[in-house]
Amino acid sequence: MNPQQLETLLAEVAAGRLEVAAALEQLRHFPTELLSYAQLDHHRTLRQGHPEVVFCEGKSIEQVVTICERLAAASGGFLGTRATAEQARALAARFPDLEWDPVARTVHRAPVRGASRLGTVLVASAGTSDLPVAEEAAVTAAAMGCRVERLIDVGVAGLHRLLNARDLLTLAEVLIVVAGMEGALPSVVGGLVGVPVIAVPTSVGYGAAFNGLAALLAMLNSCAAGITVVNIDNGFGAAMAAVRILTGRKSA
Amino acid sequence: MNPQQLETLLAEVAAGRLEVAAALEQLRHFPTELLSYAQLDHHRTLRQGHPEVVFCEGKSIEQVVTICERLAAASGGFLGTRATAEQARALAARFPDLEWDPVARTVHRAPVRGASRLGTVLVASAGTSDLPVAEEAAVTAAAMGCRVERLIDVGVAGLHRLLNARDLLTLAEVLIVVAGMEGALPSVVGGLVGVPVIAVPTSVGYGAAFNGLAALLAMLNSCAAGITVVNIDNGFGAAMAAVRILTGRKSA
Amino acid sequence: MNPQQLETLLAEVAAGRLEVAAALEQLRHFPTELLSYAQLDHHRTLRQGHPEVVFCEGKSIEQVVTICERLAAASGGFLGTRATAEQARALAARFPDLEWDPVARTVHRAPVRGASRLGTVLVASAGTSDLPVAEEAAVTAAAMGCRVERLIDVGVAGLHRLLNARDLLTLAEVLIVVAGMEGALPSVVGGLVGVPVIAVPTSVGYGAAFNGLAALLAMLNSCAAGITVVNIDNGFGAAMAAVRILTGRKSA
Amino acid sequence: MNPQQLETLLAEVAAGRLEVAAALEQLRHFPTELLSYAQLDHHRTLRQGHPEVVFCEGKSIEQVVTICERLAAASGGFLGTRATAEQARALAARFPDLEWDPVARTVHRAPVRGASRLGTVLVASAGTSDLPVAEEAAVTAAAMGCRVERLIDVGVAGLHRLLNARDLLTLAEVLIVVAGMEGALPSVVGGLVGVPVIAVPTSVGYGAAFNGLAALLAMLNSCAAGITVVNIDNGFGAAMAAVRILTGRKSA
Amino acid sequence: MNPQQLETLLAEVAAGRLEVAAALEQLRHFPTELLSYAQLDHHRTLRQGHPEVVFCEGKSIEQVVTICERLAAASGGFLGTRATAEQARALAARFPDLEWDPVARTVHRAPVRGASRLGTVLVASAGTSDLPVAEEAAVTAAAMGCRVERLIDVGVAGLHRLLNARDLLTLAEVLIVVAGMEGALPSVVGGLVGVPVIAVPTSVGYGAAFNGLAALLAMLNSCAAGITVVNIDNGFGAAMAAVRILTGRKSA
Amino acid sequence: MNPQQLETLLAEVAAGRLEVAAALEQLRHFPTELLSYAQLDHHRTLRQGHPEVVFCEGKSIEQVVTICERLAAASGGFLGTRATAEQARALAARFPDLEWDPVARTVHRAPVRGASRLGTVLVASAGTSDLPVAEEAAVTAAAMGCRVERLIDVGVAGLHRLLNARDLLTLAEVLIVVAGMEGALPSVVGGLVGVPVIAVPTSVGYGAAFNGLAALLAMLNSCAAGITVVNIDNGFGAAMAAVRILTGRKSA
Amino acid sequence: MNPQQLETLLAEVAAGRLEVAAALEQLRHFPTELLSYAQLDHHRTLRQGHPEVVFCEGKSIEQVVTICERLAAASGGFLGTRATAEQARALAARFPDLEWDPVARTVHRAPVRGASRLGTVLVASAGTSDLPVAEEAAVTAAAMGCRVERLIDVGVAGLHRLLNARDLLTLAEVLIVVAGMEGALPSVVGGLVGVPVIAVPTSVGYGAAFNGLAALLAMLNSCAAGITVVNIDNGFGAAMAAVRILTGRKSA
Amino acid sequence: MNPQQLETLLAEVAAGRLEVAAALEQLRHFPTELLSYAQLDHHRTLRQGHPEVVFCEGKSIEQVVTICERLAAASGGFLGTRATAEQARALAARFPDLEWDPVARTVHRAPVRGASRLGTVLVASAGTSDLPVAEEAAVTAAAMGCRVERLIDVGVAGLHRLLNARDLLTLAEVLIVVAGMEGALPSVVGGLVGVPVIAVPTSVGYGAAFNGLAALLAMLNSCAAGITVVNIDNGFGAAMAAVRILTGRKSA
């Protein structure tokens, strides 16, 4: 039940065309339908702003293509993460304007809209093996309307490379900092800047890295105050957190 | 070496009063001193805005009082977290205008300044046992210049209380969501709002809660996209993350 | 807003005393208030059936007494779990008819009502050290209206004691099986009976028992199909699960 | 030795046709044979009600076919879980009336019997990736004689979908709630209904989901009282727990 | 029901003094009573050989004294492990001939019997902090009738001390090897002797010793074939395992 | 340096043909050579009794064949564990009398010797999936000279099958009890017999079985006193522990 | 900016050819450029001493070849670790003088330089399965200019082999000790020698070895004082630690 | 048996005063006595260089005093770690020249000897809470004869403080780097210097620091090559590792 339907119902009651008891019955399911408003509003906002997102991992080629076709029909575009080469090729056959990024493992079809309208996200990564996660974050943020800068291979064991990039660090409104192994980069970056720092641990490393656990724990225990953390390898989630921050900022 | 000193040195060289070799020697330590600029600038910003913060846990009463005296002398105020009653009493004897919050375990002396200048943070907590962590976040955010709202006892097993507070949820610019046990609250909240959600797991619970591990893992794996997480019981860190977000927003 | 209030509102609209727009505004918060119905209904059911429950651990004596006074005023009775001797003494001073069970660590004041109306729960425990958890389950189940039988010290290393009690096992409608250490008892019991078996791991044991982790994992991996598990030391939760089962059964 | 045989033996002794010493010798194995009664009784009950169950994972095609043939000969039907496509194809060649569900990974051949005779189980799942586990539960429960309803894709980040289905939730006698990632769904559902809720964590998720550990811990620590939990991905076990509950209820 | 009672019953039936139906009724609990034979036999063996054992940890002084009094009345003696000084003093007041070993934390009252009758157990320990566990093993083994030798402070970082004791190592029939920290001693000992080696990890150590986990894992992964392991700090269990081995050997 | 060489050296000194200083120099490496005696003695014992053992996992076919050829040349026979079908086929081509057990994953060539000379080991296993580990234990024990009995599919959820086999349980001198999932079988068996029980956890199970961790912890925390444990899936190690026990017993 | 450039800049200022303000601007990035000195110096040292190192795991054949070509062009040589056979073959086609060690999984092309100039490293390993890690350490240390000795198959269960090699142990200046399973070897070695011991846990073992965790914990808890540890399977890291030690020693 | 005794024995044989057989018998225990040489040599070195070390934690005051008296009698001095104030006071009463460091929790009595003879160790620590561990390392290294420098409060979130101290970093021959929380400091330091870096994780932090596990894992996974790690809070072990390095260097 949407607001118009609710207004109609009340008008019916006011006009004596609907009994109070009958109206009461119809309102039984009102709560969830009211909540559906928000959902619909949200969908509208999404359609106007950024594309829908599909997590492709574990889905069949057929499922991915079908879902993307439905999204494209509804809003013009879509973003797929964790896409395999096979999935990407099938989508490209269907959508000639598809952008496939094999490092980020993303497939993206932009809805028709103008240039970036949100602020700048800097995606910094510690090592070359962290790039898939960093790129997933970068592509997602860009698809959502952010301006994206990249800073790669700035692991803390070679501090000068990070310090050389201080201009870039101070320019960004939000930093996404991606690191595996000992996960120290967000702590160092967090001490250099005052803007929001979203730390992304990666499963890069071996042995006692325990598939990203070492980096995750390090980031949660950062001595730089105000760092926040997302799940291991969750570049997508970090980008969405940046979008939450920048969306609010834009309307400020 | 600060910029003025650097300028003087260069002027000395320009004037022929300082040999190039001697200038070179003096510049050997330039890098870290240049970095100290940022540190000093940062300090200046801090002094103008919010008080210095002292982590009181594990410090002697003497240490806490001495540090706070030094901070008060420098900037007028301070904030202490994880303060014991004994530490608070000793500080109150020294600073009659001290604000001590025994639930949040904070001691706060505000520097002379005007009203709140940053946006609104809503601190929502799942159960009454989560209050110390939630209050640490609330007091810290307020001390840093945020407007703070609170929403308590809105655990997901009693969903109507949370839904009753939807106005409050949509009013805030940043949400800090505090929960122990199964840590589900941030996921539900993150599905209801589009603003930044900072999740704080607490060590509340027993048995397989493993001192907050259950809530921490749940929050890192939230199905609501864009939720970020801080360390277990780290109300202070969540508030500082909110400050990073709102500071940027203010200058937007 | 309760149903009466909603009916009144609709009647006001029907009578032309309330504008549709004004009614619409008042209904903005309807969803959660509707949900509150369920909550109120639930409360009513609770009051008629079993007492409210207070988790006393970590609460001050003052808090516990105040909460219990409020509950007693509302419904006549209450149940407190994890109560200390100090909390129990303070409550007994206030409620002369309080039942305090120092092993179960429960305080109970029964509302005025008739005899047990739900089916029979058998609480079986492996060792004497498991008794506090078993008794918490037994007292809670009894307070909620179940008939409760007990079977103690039937660890699997002395199988004959368990087999001697087969009559008791087959008599119960729900079994709560409490064990620490290797946690094998629910698997053996689950093979002997066809009724619901709720397994409760306890933190009894040392070394590689890891505070109940060994028993918890054993119970989750039981080779007896259809065993379910609650948190370590969660006798209360097991009893509430039994109540969920028996309440439904009663109405069947 | 069954009761009739025991009676015969005693009669032989009474008639002087069997020496006391010889009777004593024959009774040496009495205990386990008595226990075999229960086993036989259980088998009889099973045959009349629901099919035997085979865990196909790790078994060869030959083994699976042989076992199923033996079960079919004995009772007419069987249920196989975790069946591969190869195993299913081999069984279908042998049993033309085999029902294979590739999502649930089940193979089922129903014994000749009437319609469902147990109550209604609702299987609710949080995300599409949780479907194999949810379907394993649904197919198993149906094979065991339950009426089964399904509710899919009701993750807590989109609360309105769950609230929209409240009628369905209140209709079921037992709820099986399946979720991976943060595992919050059973806590929310458990707060909405009073009937038994069996929570099934799944290994869906990545990084700090640790193959279902996050969801498992969340469910064990649910703030909704009386939720019980089964092993990760154990849809079969959840269904069997529901059967234990509903079997008892039926006979109430 | 013991064998004599069973024989009597059968004789009663044979003599016509007991109806078959009545005999059948009496035999209803036969199985578990048959199992009780073994239990009774076992008790008899225990009484003749070694004292009953009480785990004193977590029991009140009153409980410990009462249980020991009952055991002393039945069999003349008892062994208590994990006894506190308070428990020991209370027992000593009651049993003047009590042997209390404050390092092993044992209380022992020997039944009247002859000298040791089982073979030799060597209890070897790596460091002085491992002594309480080693002594618990040694006192238990001695109380059970073993001859006990001790070898202390033979950690693997000072190999010569261990090699100096090779005569002692080759003399024992069973070795109990107790070590904390890196838990390497059983591996080295297991390579030097061919007799059974029971490894006991202790919780000695700090940091990444994780309360004995490091030693436990090391012992489970020993490169010396045929080493077996008991729980962390379980000196009692190791002694009982030695008794199982030597009891069998004696009767060989 | 063997004893003969040492004797010769001393005789040389006694005869004045070797200087004290030169003898001293030659004795510098004496310790390890003396230790080599034990090694040689040990080897001799091994050769006379049971075959050498090769852990085939991770070795190339070439390596396995070469090692086995060397062992066969030295002692006539060998035992290989964790052998693949490829390794077994290559060995069978070389040794026509090779015994390959594809379930146990063992390859065995017996040295020329008489019948079994050690006591009886009973290998009991809980489920059919535990058979590879149980068979590895059984084949190894047999190859080492033990008489081996087997008891399969006696999981604790079907207690009557275990109790039916009590004769077999009481006949064995050592029990190897193999179980995955909840690992309860050794606790139940340990309560039924007084002989040594060696518990072998297997990696059978899924989800919270954590590859055998659940069974391992359960066995370490057994409430049956005197149970010892080996590594997960270590059937070989359990057999070698049995051999250590029975070898001693034989010579008693 | 290198020292020459800095000197030039200062000379420009001294000569009046560069304004102070302009010099100040140019010096803005001085810190990181100064840090680049160290980097450049370090590079120079590296080029003169040992080859650059490439971690080949997870890189494409193309990437590996390109990187190695660039390194070879810059310094004449390179070292690659964790190289696959495919990567090695591609490199060998490009560099005919490539040394490929399939056990160590290394590819090495030596720059033109003289013989080893650093001290002696002894790489000792416990079992044959530890060889890949041990060889990675050995090849890396040799490539970096160390003299390398090897000692294999000296696990602690066969102590005599280790003691036989005492000459070798006392000859080395640094010991790298590699072990999986129970990881006891470094503790034993550390008690025999006074030189630096670098312990390398390997992922060799199964079950409760937990992919090297058991060995890692054992080594961290070594009772031999002054042992240090690197990551699981990190032979490369151990060699680099040895190089750090020996480089300093050389210049002493 | 020491060398003199061995020489005497050989002389006796040479002189015909001792039979070869009798000599052979006496040499039976030679190996371990030969090993005792090394032990004695080591003792001699220790006595000449640095004091004996006592781990005081868990020892009674009496035990500590007795052990220290014995050590003082033998070598003039001793070092005690993890000493309580009570232990220190008792020792000070006995040894007026005792040096007690309450932060490092050490008690030290220097043997009569000259100034430091080993190289320079720099002990760097991240936060003030890490000081007890850092001081334990510093006092131990000094007691062993090293020159010790300290660098405190150089956590990575305030990078300028560390960079300001680069002179100090390059001056040391060995670095001990102590950090809790995220444990990032050793990685950053390891990138700045080429000398040996010994990383010490501390248990400083809360929540997901898991008592030092986060820092330990971070250090084991450092992206700076050649960092080695000791146990959590093991300042003593780090100092001993530095002594191993510097002792070798001295003799180079």
Side-chain angles (χ1 to χ4, degrees), chain G residues 226-250:
Chain G
I227 305 299
T228 60
V229 186
V230 297
N231 197 2
I232 297 164
D233 289 337
N234 192 3
F236 167 72
M240 295 307 287
V243 169
R244 283 180 182 255
I245 292 169
L246 291 174
T247 305
R249 188 159 302 179
K250 199 180 156 56

mmCIF file of all heavy atoms in Angstrom, chain G residues 226-250:
data_model
loop_
_atom_site.group_PDB
_atom_site.id
_atom_site.type_symbol
_atom_site.label_atom_id
_atom_site.label_comp_id
_atom_site.label_asym_id
_atom_site.label_seq_id
_atom_site.Cartn_x
_atom_site.Cartn_y
_atom_site.Cartn_z
ATOM 1 N N GLY G 226 66.559 -17.181 23.359
ATOM 2 C CA GLY G 226 67.165 -16.435 22.272
ATOM 3 C C GLY G 226 66.928 -16.991 20.881
ATOM 4 O O GLY G 226 67.566 -16.566 19.923
ATOM 5 N N ILE G 227 65.994 -17.947 20.757
ATOM 6 C CA ILE G 227 65.583 -18.432 19.430
ATOM 7 C C ILE G 227 64.612 -17.424 18.840
ATOM 8 O O ILE G 227 63.712 -16.956 19.527
ATOM 9 C CB ILE G 227 64.849 -19.784 19.563
ATOM 10 C CG1 ILE G 227 65.694 -20.804 20.301
ATOM 11 C CG2 ILE G 227 64.398 -20.308 18.198
ATOM 12 C CD1 ILE G 227 66.975 -21.130 19.645
ATOM 13 N N THR G 228 64.750 -17.101 17.564
ATOM 14 C CA THR G 228 63.750 -16.255 16.919
ATOM 15 C C THR G 228 63.067 -17.025 15.794
ATOM 16 O O THR G 228 63.597 -18.023 15.313
ATOM 17 C CB THR G 228 64.362 -14.962 16.354
ATOM 18 O OG1 THR G 228 65.358 -15.299 15.381
ATOM 19 C CG2 THR G 228 64.993 -14.133 17.458
ATOM 20 N N VAL G 229 61.907 -16.539 15.377
ATOM 21 C CA VAL G 229 61.035 -17.304 14.501
ATOM 22 C C VAL G 229 60.588 -16.441 13.324
ATOM 23 O O VAL G 229 60.428 -15.230 13.454
ATOM 24 C CB VAL G 229 59.785 -17.783 15.290
ATOM 25 C CG1 VAL G 229 58.924 -18.717 14.440
ATOM 26 C CG2 VAL G 229 60.195 -18.467 16.576
ATOM 27 N N VAL G 230 60.400 -17.072 12.168
ATOM 28 C CA VAL G 230 59.797 -16.397 11.017
ATOM 29 C C VAL G 230 58.485 -17.089 10.663
ATOM 30 O O VAL G 230 58.100 -18.073 11.300
ATOM 31 C CB VAL G 230 60.746 -16.370 9.793
ATOM 32 C CG1 VAL G 230 62.014 -15.575 10.101
ATOM 33 C CG2 VAL G 230 61.071 -17.779 9.344
ATOM 34 N N ASN G 231 57.806 -16.604 9.662
ATOM 35 C CA ASN G 231 56.498 -17.131 9.272
ATOM 36 C C ASN G 231 56.600 -18.596 8.790
ATOM 37 O O ASN G 231 57.667 -19.057 8.387
ATOM 38 C CB ASN G 231 55.921 -16.259 8.147
ATOM 39 C CG ASN G 231 54.425 -16.460 7.948
ATOM 40 O OD1 ASN G 231 53.792 -17.225 8.664
ATOM 41 N ND2 ASN G 231 53.866 -15.753 6.972
ATOM 42 N N ILE G 232 55.482 -19.283 8.819
ATOM 43 C CA ILE G 232 55.391 -20.656 8.353
ATOM 44 C C ILE G 232 55.850 -20.745 6.888
ATOM 45 O O ILE G 232 55.407 -19.943 6.060
ATOM 46 C CB ILE G 232 53.932 -21.149 8.488
ATOM 47 C CG1 ILE G 232 53.506 -21.157 9.966
ATOM 48 C CG2 ILE G 232 53.754 -22.519 7.875
ATOM 49 C CD1 ILE G 232 52.006 -21.255 10.170
ATOM 50 N N ASP G 233 56.724 -21.681 6.611
ATOM 51 C CA ASP G 233 57.237 -21.954 5.251
ATOM 52 C C ASP G 233 58.080 -20.810 4.684
ATOM 53 O O ASP G 233 58.362 -20.804 3.479
ATOM 54 C CB ASP G 233 56.080 -22.243 4.267
ATOM 55 C CG ASP G 233 55.412 -23.581 4.527
ATOM 56 O OD1 ASP G 233 56.046 -24.460 5.128
ATOM 57 O OD2 ASP G 233 54.244 -23.752 4.127
ATOM 58 N N ASN G 234 58.480 -19.865 5.523
ATOM 59 C CA ASN G 234 59.171 -18.681 5.015
ATOM 60 C C ASN G 234 60.689 -18.870 4.999
ATOM 61 O O ASN G 234 61.442 -18.208 5.730
ATOM 62 C CB ASN G 234 58.784 -17.460 5.856
ATOM 63 C CG ASN G 234 59.227 -16.166 5.195
ATOM 64 O OD1 ASN G 234 59.767 -16.173 4.090
ATOM 65 N ND2 ASN G 234 59.002 -15.059 5.879
ATOM 66 N N GLY G 235 61.138 -19.786 4.153
ATOM 67 C CA GLY G 235 62.578 -20.012 4.027
ATOM 68 C C GLY G 235 63.292 -18.768 3.535
ATOM 69 O O GLY G 235 64.407 -18.466 3.984
ATOM 70 N N PHE G 236 62.670 -18.039 2.629
ATOM 71 C CA PHE G 236 63.251 -16.806 2.126
ATOM 72 C C PHE G 236 63.503 -15.811 3.268
ATOM 73 O O PHE G 236 64.593 -15.244 3.390
ATOM 74 C CB PHE G 236 62.317 -16.187 1.079
ATOM 75 C CG PHE G 236 62.664 -14.791 0.719
ATOM 76 C CD1 PHE G 236 63.784 -14.508 -0.052
ATOM 77 C CD2 PHE G 236 61.874 -13.728 1.158
ATOM 78 C CE1 PHE G 236 64.116 -13.192 -0.375
ATOM 79 C CE2 PHE G 236 62.197 -12.418 0.835
ATOM 80 C CZ PHE G 236 63.323 -12.148 0.064
ATOM 81 N N GLY G 237 62.499 -15.615 4.111
ATOM 82 C CA GLY G 237 62.636 -14.656 5.211
ATOM 83 C C GLY G 237 63.747 -15.045 6.175
ATOM 84 O O GLY G 237 64.472 -14.184 6.687
ATOM 85 N N ALA G 238 63.866 -16.343 6.439
ATOM 86 C CA ALA G 238 64.925 -16.789 7.344
ATOM 87 C C ALA G 238 66.295 -16.470 6.759
ATOM 88 O O ALA G 238 67.210 -16.029 7.473
ATOM 89 C CB ALA G 238 64.786 -18.291 7.592
ATOM 90 N N ALA G 239 66.439 -16.696 5.445
ATOM 91 C CA ALA G 239 67.724 -16.395 4.810
ATOM 92 C C ALA G 239 68.026 -14.902 4.888
ATOM 93 O O ALA G 239 69.165 -14.502 5.159
ATOM 94 C CB ALA G 239 67.698 -16.873 3.350
ATOM 95 N N MET G 240 67.018 -14.077 4.669
ATOM 96 C CA MET G 240 67.236 -12.633 4.728
ATOM 97 C C MET G 240 67.603 -12.193 6.148
ATOM 98 O O MET G 240 68.390 -11.251 6.337
ATOM 99 C CB MET G 240 65.998 -11.884 4.242
ATOM 100 C CG MET G 240 65.675 -12.106 2.768
ATOM 101 S SD MET G 240 67.059 -11.768 1.645
ATOM 102 C CE MET G 240 67.093 -9.977 1.719
ATOM 103 N N ALA G 241 67.023 -12.854 7.163
ATOM 104 C CA ALA G 241 67.403 -12.537 8.540
ATOM 105 C C ALA G 241 68.862 -12.905 8.778
ATOM 106 O O ALA G 241 69.603 -12.175 9.452
ATOM 107 C CB ALA G 241 66.488 -13.280 9.515
ATOM 108 N N ALA G 242 69.287 -14.044 8.213
ATOM 109 C CA ALA G 242 70.692 -14.445 8.336
ATOM 110 C C ALA G 242 71.599 -13.429 7.652
ATOM 111 O O ALA G 242 72.678 -13.090 8.152
ATOM 112 C CB ALA G 242 70.886 -15.837 7.742
ATOM 113 N N VAL G 243 71.154 -12.936 6.501
ATOM 114 C CA VAL G 243 71.942 -11.937 5.781
ATOM 115 C C VAL G 243 72.070 -10.662 6.605
ATOM 116 O O VAL G 243 73.143 -10.052 6.684
ATOM 117 C CB VAL G 243 71.312 -11.652 4.400
ATOM 118 C CG1 VAL G 243 71.933 -10.430 3.745
ATOM 119 C CG2 VAL G 243 71.448 -12.880 3.504
ATOM 120 N N ARG G 244 70.970 -10.243 7.260
ATOM 121 C CA ARG G 244 71.052 -9.069 8.140
ATOM 122 C C ARG G 244 72.118 -9.275 9.221
ATOM 123 O O ARG G 244 72.882 -8.377 9.543
ATOM 124 C CB ARG G 244 69.700 -8.808 8.815
ATOM 125 C CG ARG G 244 68.652 -8.153 7.899
ATOM 126 C CD ARG G 244 67.333 -7.926 8.644
ATOM 127 N NE ARG G 244 66.296 -7.355 7.785
ATOM 128 C CZ ARG G 244 65.898 -6.075 7.821
ATOM 129 N NH1 ARG G 244 66.438 -5.246 8.715
ATOM 130 N NH2 ARG G 244 64.967 -5.639 7.005
ATOM 131 N N ILE G 245 72.142 -10.469 9.794
ATOM 132 C CA ILE G 245 73.107 -10.751 10.870
ATOM 133 C C ILE G 245 74.530 -10.761 10.324
ATOM 134 O O ILE G 245 75.428 -10.134 10.905
ATOM 135 C CB ILE G 245 72.783 -12.113 11.534
ATOM 136 C CG1 ILE G 245 71.470 -12.016 12.301
ATOM 137 C CG2 ILE G 245 73.907 -12.560 12.449
ATOM 138 C CD1 ILE G 245 70.925 -13.351 12.776
ATOM 139 N N LEU G 246 74.737 -11.449 9.207
ATOM 140 C CA LEU G 246 76.107 -11.632 8.708
ATOM 141 C C LEU G 246 76.655 -10.370 8.054
ATOM 142 O O LEU G 246 77.862 -10.148 8.067
ATOM 143 C CB LEU G 246 76.145 -12.819 7.736
ATOM 144 C CG LEU G 246 75.933 -14.170 8.426
ATOM 145 C CD1 LEU G 246 75.830 -15.282 7.396
ATOM 146 C CD2 LEU G 246 77.059 -14.456 9.417
ATOM 147 N N THR G 247 75.779 -9.570 7.480
ATOM 148 C CA THR G 247 76.238 -8.314 6.900
ATOM 149 C C THR G 247 76.840 -7.429 7.988
ATOM 150 O O THR G 247 77.928 -6.885 7.856
ATOM 151 C CB THR G 247 75.073 -7.573 6.220
ATOM 152 O OG1 THR G 247 74.483 -8.437 5.272
ATOM 153 C CG2 THR G 247 75.568 -6.318 5.525
ATOM 154 N N GLY G 248 76.129 -7.315 9.081
ATOM 155 C CA GLY G 248 76.645 -6.522 10.196
ATOM 156 C C GLY G 248 77.950 -7.090 10.698
ATOM 157 O O GLY G 248 78.919 -6.373 10.965
ATOM 158 N N ARG G 249 77.994 -8.427 10.780
ATOM 159 C CA ARG G 249 79.180 -9.080 11.327
ATOM 160 C C ARG G 249 80.408 -8.792 10.470
ATOM 161 O O ARG G 249 81.486 -8.525 10.965
ATOM 162 C CB ARG G 249 78.930 -10.587 11.380
ATOM 163 C CG ARG G 249 80.008 -11.351 12.098
ATOM 164 C CD ARG G 249 79.502 -12.663 12.553
ATOM 165 N NE ARG G 249 78.343 -12.474 13.429
ATOM 166 C CZ ARG G 249 77.654 -13.466 13.974
ATOM 167 N NH1 ARG G 249 77.996 -14.716 13.727
ATOM 168 N NH2 ARG G 249 76.639 -13.238 14.758
ATOM 169 N N LYS G 250 80.168 -8.826 9.176
ATOM 170 C CA LYS G 250 81.277 -8.613 8.246
ATOM 171 C C LYS G 250 81.926 -7.258 8.467
ATOM 172 O O LYS G 250 83.141 -7.110 8.480
ATOM 173 C CB LYS G 250 80.727 -8.671 6.819
ATOM 174 C CG LYS G 250 81.777 -8.914 5.773
ATOM 175 C CD LYS G 250 81.161 -8.954 4.405
ATOM 176 C CE LYS G 250 82.220 -8.601 3.392
ATOM 177 N NZ LYS G 250 83.396 -9.485 3.504
#
